[in-house]
Amino acid sequence: HQTGIVANLLDGDFLADRPNQKWAGDISSIWTAEGWLYLAVVIDLFSRRVIGWDVSDRMKKDLAIRALDMAVRLRDPAPGCFFHSDRGSHYGSHDFQKKLLAHGLLASMSGKGNCFDNAAVETFFKSLKAERLWRQNWSTRREATV
């Protein structure tokens, strides 16, 4: 058991019977003339809607925490809601894991080297990039955010 790594509790089951039963999160990057802009999202696997998000010029744990905080403020999930992510250091950080515990969320992480274990969020990013971001040029990170 590596530090910050938790079991894959969802085990590929991305279907949910009701809202706030299973959430998933990830971070992706968007190129601008100023450099990379990082987008963290939290998706409710019942509706496949983004319920929390944040952007930053740095991919740090605070980015993932702010997206999670937004989702918790919006949805106020009951204890026992799953939060699934990849094994990124931001999700495995002590601060992020402590935040999950404080909100009663059950941590679940993708299996080692298995890109399909977070397919729901990867699919969202693929659609976002194909429909809204590809072939776009932004001068600034702020321009890409709005």
Side-chain angles (χ1 to χ4, degrees), residues 47-115:
S47 63
R48 305 295 168 137
R49 292 186 64 186
V50 174
I51 57 172
W53 64 276
D54 198 48
V55 292
S56 177
D57 63 343
R58 300 175 66 187
M59 192 181 341
K60 298 283 207 172
K61 65 184 173 194
D62 295 352
L63 175 62
I65 288 171
R66 288 190 305 268
L68 178 65
D69 284 345
M70 176 189 262
V72 168
R73 279 192 313 274
L74 179 67
R75 292 295 188 87
D76 191 24
C81 175
F82 289 93
F83 181 88
H84 186 78
S85 68
D86 62 18
R87 292 180 172 215
S89 60
H90 27 277
Y91 294 112
S93 73
H94 175 74
D95 290 346
F96 191 85
Q97 292 295 315
K98 191 167 90 175
K99 187 71 81 162
L100 291 177
L101 276 172
H103 294 301
L105 298 169
L106 303 174
S108 172
M109 284 187 171
S110 297
K112 186 175 183 181
N114 189 341
C115 61

Side-chain angles (χ1 to χ4, degrees), residues 8 10-14 24-26 43 45 48 84-86 110-111 114-127:
N8 184 353
L10 288 190
D11 195 27
D13 181 7
F14 296 112
D26 203 356
I43 294 177
L45 295 179
R48 305 295 168 137
H84 186 78
S85 68
D86 62 18
S110 297
N114 189 341
C115 61
F116 299 110
D117 272 355
N118 208 6
V121 187
E122 296 295 343
T123 299
F124 165 76
F125 281 134
K126 181 177 184 256
S127 297

